[in-house]
Amino acid sequence: MATVLITGANRGIGLELTKRYAEGGDDVIACCREPQKADDLNGLPKVEVCGLRVSDGGSVAALKAEIGERPIDLLINNAGTPVPVKQTALEMDYDGWAEAFAVNTMAPFRMLQTFRENLKVADGGKIITITSQMGAMDLNWPVMYAYSSSKAAVNKIMRMVSLELAADGTAVALIHPGYVKTQMGGEGAEIEVEESAAGIMSVIEGISLEGTGCFMKWNGEVHPW
Ligand code: NDP
């Protein structure tokens, strides 16, 4: 059985992944900003709920101190934010844009750096970042400039680092989860969270060092960059 660390585990896709890995017998380190309020997580068997503010270096370091050298087989960088409200060619909330980068781009990288050794000792570790189709150069849709650029940046950084982490035996991949009915996706989205999570887990199962650095869709298709 594996040890799986998931960020943004208190709701949406992260919560569904947490439940499914735990039900499958894995040990899940479920991270969220407010663990005391994580009613859907607290009490779940095989789930250790940990406080983590992904964009705060001190918080990530505190989590590392809590976990120590424990092997981690799978790190899922799932926490993400759509901020800000104003992010068009006409109006931009620059502080919100910076926050989008802090949460969607820099935090996954900091998690990777901080837990690199835990993944290395796991032997066959995997780092998955839940990105978005919005980050693909291929998608010609001029909306959500801040969010889209933060996802494009995380795609690039994960692609680069996959080349280096191959030496550790750690595979790195990016997965677009689909347009999912969560707080972020809204009720008008295309697929249910159960379908997204099941698909993501199936894709993760197939990730290996041979395909490291790939950009996939939840349904198993390769995503164009
Ligand atoms: P939700 O809004 O349901 O959940 C987002 C999660 O991220 C929550 O756990 C939330 O924690 C956490 N989070 C948000 N902002 C921050 C922050 N500033 N610092 C730390 N944690 C934060 O969204 P989804 O489940 O839909 O999203 C999961 C991932 O999937 C994200 O990376 C998103 O970009 C990506 N995605 C989603 C799509 C969709 O259609 N839903 C489409 C493409 C990509 P809290 O409860 O504390 O706010």
Side-chain angles (χ1 to χ4, degrees):
M1 287 301 126
T3 297
V4 183
L5 192 159
I6 304 178
T7 66
N10 57 309
R11 60 185 164 98
I13 297 165
L15 175 62
E16 189 63 24
L17 288 170
T18 298
K19 287 184 191 165
R20 284 173 182 254
Y21 277 113
E23 281 163 14
D26 295 321
D27 293 311
V28 182
I29 303 169
C31 302
C32 58
R33 286 195 277 192
E34 297 185 287
Q36 69 288 355
K37 291 186 186 165
D39 296 336
D40 294 324
L41 282 179
N42 289 312
L44 286 180
K46 308 278 289 176
V47 174
E48 179 183 347
V49 183
C50 293
L52 175 68
R53 293 182 307 283
V54 288
S55 55
D56 174 348
S59 177
V60 176
L63 179 68
K64 170 65 183 169
E66 207 176 321
I67 291 175
E69 305 308 315
R70 221 189 313 169
I72 295 173
D73 301 277
L74 174 59
L75 163 63
I76 304 182
N77 288 311
N78 165 76
T81 181
V83 293
V85 176
K86 291 176 183 171
Q87 44 176 328
T88 70
L90 296 174
E91 286 187 296
M92 175 58 79
D93 165 6
Y94 285 90
D95 290 340
W97 195 0
E99 189 187 339
F101 262 82
V103 175
N104 299 340
T105 312
M106 289 191 264
F109 192 69
R110 193 194 296 277
M111 289 295 291
L112 172 159
Q113 285 190 321
T114 305
F115 294 100
R116 180 175 178 170
E117 284 302 315
N118 301 71
L119 284 138
K120 187 175 177 181
V121 296
D123 191 22
K126 299 180 188 183
I127 298 171
I128 305 300
T129 299
I130 306 300
T131 182
S132 170
Q133 61 182 352
M134 308 284 286
M137 297 299 157
D138 192 63
L139 187 77
N140 290 316
W141 194 23
V143 295
M144 295 181 76
Y145 281 32
Y147 177 76
S148 300
S149 58
S150 71
K151 292 294 193 180
V154 82
N155 287 359
K156 178 64 177 173
I157 200 91
M158 289 296 160
R159 173 86 176 168
M160 286 194 291
V161 84
S162 70
L163 302 171
E164 287 198 54
L165 263 61
D168 289 1
T170 302
V172 176
L174 295 141
I175 302 179
H176 164 58
Y179 183 22
V180 193
K181 292 178 189 173
T182 60
Q183 191 167 314
M184 188 184 293
E187 267 309 303
E190 289 168 352
I191 62 171
E192 302 293 336
V193 71
E194 292 83 2
E195 181 183 345
S196 174
I200 288 168
M201 289 171 70
S202 166
V203 170
I204 291 174
E205 189 68 33
I207 299 291
S208 68
L209 271 183
E210 286 69 51
T212 193
C214 60
F215 182 10
M216 305 292 294
K217 299 181 189 178
W218 84 101
N219 61 6
E221 293 174 12
V222 171
H223 203 301
W225 291 98

